[in-house]
Amino acid sequence: MTLRLGSVTTIVASSPETAKEILHKHDQTFSGRSVPDAVSAQPNPEGTLAWTPGDQRWRNRRRICNTQMFNNQRLDSLQHLRHEKVGQLIAHIRKHCELGRPVDIGQLAFATSLNLVSNTIFSIDLVDQDFNSAQEFKDLVWRIMEDAGKPNLSDYFPILRPFDLQGVRRHILSSYRRMHEIFDDIIGTRLKARASDKMSRTGDFLDVLLDQCEEEGSDFNLQNIKPLILDLFIAGSDTSAITTEWAMAELLRKPHVMHKARNELVEIIGTRQSVKESDVDRLPYLQAVVKETLRLHPAAPLLLPYKAQNEVEVCGFTIPKDSKVFVNGWAIGRDERYWEDPFSFLPERFLGSKLDFRGQDFEYIPFGAGRRICTGLPLAVRMVHLMLASLIHSFNWKLPIGTNPHDIDMTEQFGVTLKKAIPVHAIPVVEE
Ligand code: HEM
């Protein structure tokens, strides 16, 4: 589909075949991004990972992320921190049990995701353990997501960019600057600790990046690691929280699926132990629930926008140079030619199936595919499974009195990420 949005030619690919042409066959042409004006307002935008051209510097940055940050060994070595954070989430929800009050699952999942990411990057919490809603860091991440997703005239008429007619650029800049200040403080403290004790290494992502900064001839320096860190927070926290909330909404709508997922957890883990990341391999039904959630509710429904570096022919159509190209992963996951009963939530369809979200199967691309597939996938998979499994394993969930499973509103709120328009509220119950 071609749309003329302002002066920008925009192409939307909505079938697995066109997605494959764009993300695989012509991946060189579509290796760069079309960058929203709001995103390019941040300090050192050339240091980001998600928004830079697919050049040598991007390749280097991605290589370090893949080999030194998102590899299994590193993620394993930091998993105790994530277990602790999810333990705090469960303890917090337990307090609600005593009062019989409903909780807002999306809000809690967002605060927890931020702390899971911040512990993986910095080994510290950035949101307080009481999940206080007036948290500065949480608000900043939220404001950036909102501003970056706002329809902006500057993106439809690039000639108007210098005027910033809606003030989006000015508004978002203050949030970016404040995030950089917070990172400056954390980096400064870490540098002091490293200088006073050469052996003191936590082995988290910040240590990896600071080690890179110290290497001779390295691309990394203390300025350009900040946009990269910022990218990880923005790309990693909302997406993981949204996925967890959609999964819970689907399970609450289908009590027999919830029951089956819970039974599997109790059977494999028992009732006394808490869930660990390493348990997930033994939980095929839970994995199927997460896969089915990502099929129906991909957190980034249009992936991130690509830009055609040159004119190219895709499936018999000419895509002009500089077009903005979206791949509609949402529509692809509901394509009737590939999915039986595509609108129903049926985790069973993934049991015994080799279909996977790692970018090989173009009818299922919630993390994208090709050279720009989600870098954080290995962490995302761990976080979402751990949060969801712990929520289901620790509590029996009930809907507020007067709400039937079928009444749960599944309306989507469209933005860069696809949220639930109406948050899910449910009452946690502990069985004695
Ligand atoms: C369920 C959770 C998540 C989902 C559904 C998701 C999905 C996606 C999608 C669809 C893209 C765009 C791929 C493309 O354009 O082809 C992307 C890119 C990206 N994601 Fe994720 N993501 C998730 C979690 C994470 C996490 C936890 C992190 C890191 C902490 C992360 C970091 C990134 C980065 C850095 C990019 C840009 C990659 C590049 O342009 O080279 N994501 N993600």
Side-chain angles (χ1 to χ4, degrees), residues 126-418:
L126 283 176
V127 176
D128 92 15
Q129 293 164 11
D130 278 335
F131 301 91
N132 180 348
S133 59
Q135 283 297 313
E136 185 191 16
F137 192 79
K138 198 166 75 171
D139 291 349
L140 286 170
V141 173
W142 203 249
R143 281 223 299 269
I144 291 178
M145 295 284 308
E146 265 182 2
D147 282 345
K150 264 187 203 149
N152 186 353
L153 274 174
S154 301
D155 292 325
Y156 304 125
F157 299 98
I159 199 167
L160 297 178
R161 279 192 172 196
F163 306 108
D164 186 26
L165 291 175
Q166 290 161 256
V168 178
R169 187 174 250 276
R170 266 165 288 153
H171 192 252
I172 199 170
L173 184 58
S174 61
S175 309
Y176 277 131
R177 286 204 176 122
R178 181 67 192 122
M179 290 279 275
H180 275 235
E181 277 170 19
I182 294 174
F183 294 160
D184 278 335
D185 281 351
I186 297 171
I187 294 170
T189 309
R190 179 67 61 87
L191 284 172
K192 276 193 203 129
R194 284 163 61 107
S196 65
D197 177 3
K198 294 254 178 289
M199 299 306 285
S200 87
R201 291 283 193 276
T202 53
D204 57 15
F205 285 11
L206 181 58
D207 269 334
V208 173
L209 290 172
L210 293 177
D211 288 346
Q212 288 296 320
C213 292
E214 284 169 8
E215 281 199 4
E216 234 181 84
S218 157
D219 269 352
F220 290 91
N221 58 50
L222 293 181
Q223 288 311 315
N224 70 15
I225 58 171
K226 286 182 283 180
L228 170 57
I229 294 171
L230 203 141
D231 257 7
L232 301 180
F233 276 104
I234 302 291
S237 33
D238 190 31
T239 45
S240 307
I242 286 177
T243 308
T244 309
E245 185 181 21
W246 278 115
M248 283 298 286
E250 291 286 4
L251 294 177
L252 287 163
R253 253 168 42 112
K254 295 216 158 173
H256 67 281
V257 180
M258 173 77 96
H259 190 68
K260 208 165 156 183
R262 191 156 195 256
N263 274 357
E264 181 188 65
L265 279 156
V266 170
E267 217 166 89
I268 302 293
I269 296 167
T271 45
R272 302 221 168 270
Q273 307 264 11
S274 48
V275 185
K276 301 276 176 291
E277 287 179 3
S278 55
D279 294 323
V280 172
D281 280 350
R282 295 182 291 143
L283 299 165
Y285 196 68
L286 178 82
Q287 291 178 41
V289 167
V290 171
K291 280 186 171 171
E292 182 67 340
T293 304
L294 286 163
R295 180 185 72 81
L296 276 177
H297 309 288
L302 299 175
L303 314 187
L304 292 179
Y306 285 94
K307 183 173 179 179
Q309 312 287 106
N310 47 274
E311 183 178 294
V312 66
E313 199 178 300
V314 171
C315 299
F317 295 95
T318 304
I319 297 193
K321 181 175 184 299
D322 291 336
S323 304
K324 186 185 224 178
V325 175
F326 287 109
V327 176
N328 189 344
W330 182 93
I332 290 172
R334 293 164 182 238
D335 189 327
E336 281 171 341
R337 292 171 307 138
Y338 289 85
W339 301 97
E340 215 182 304
D341 196 2
F343 301 103
S344 297
F345 185 80
L346 300 170
E348 283 72 13
R349 70 173 89 236
F350 284 102
L351 291 177
S353 153
K354 287 208 162 34
L355 208 68
D356 194 44
F357 42 54
R358 285 167 214 276
Q360 302 304 315
D361 303 302
F362 285 86
E363 66 271 41
Y364 183 51
I365 50 169
F367 291 99
R371 57 173 77 197
R372 296 208 79 147
I373 188 173
C374 175
T375 340
L377 189 154
L379 176 60
V381 169
R382 286 174 182 243
M383 287 177 15
V384 172
H385 284 96
L386 181 65
M387 277 192 285
L388 183 65
S390 306
L391 289 174
I392 309 173
H393 180 244
S394 310
F395 307 103
N396 230 332
W397 290 90
K398 301 227 177 325
L399 289 170
I401 294 168
T403 313
N404 287 317
H406 292 296
D407 295 339
I408 297 179
D409 189 316
M410 300 298 269
T411 312
E412 300 161 331
Q413 185 186 322
F414 186 72
V416 179
T417 51
L418 198 63

